Amino acid sequence: MNLDISKQHLILLVSALNDAIKYNEGFLRSETIKDISDYEDHLLCLENCQGWLEDEYKRLRETNSDLMEYEKIIGI
């Protein structure tokens, strides 16, 4: 299955997913929750999705050189 998305929305999706991961990592370190197992599972799902999205983005960038480098979007 292919995802049909504009370049601008793809970049926004990469950025938003990265922000969600950072937020959830901070939330887990905040010690405001007693049972972190559900949140760890959620974070793992986000990270797995990010891995897939990174691979797809880089694959698309090979044929769309006008796409921003993935590392620049996520701030590496």
Side-chain angles (χ1 to χ4, degrees), residues 9-56:
H9 286 135
L10 177 60
I11 292 169
L12 180 62
L13 181 61
V14 168
S15 178
L17 185 56
N18 190 60
D19 288 347
I21 289 171
K22 288 179 182 179
Y23 172 82
N24 279 279
E25 287 173 339
F27 185 63
L28 286 174
R29 287 191 300 269
S30 70
E31 299 180 12
T32 58
I33 50 177
K34 292 181 183 178
D35 182 13
I36 63 170
S37 61
D38 287 340
Y39 293 96
E40 288 174 327
D41 290 342
H42 178 67
L43 181 59
L44 181 60
C45 288
L46 289 172
E47 290 170 340
N48 288 337
C49 184
Q50 184 182 44
W52 169 82
L53 186 58
E54 178 180 358
D55 292 344
E56 288 298 306

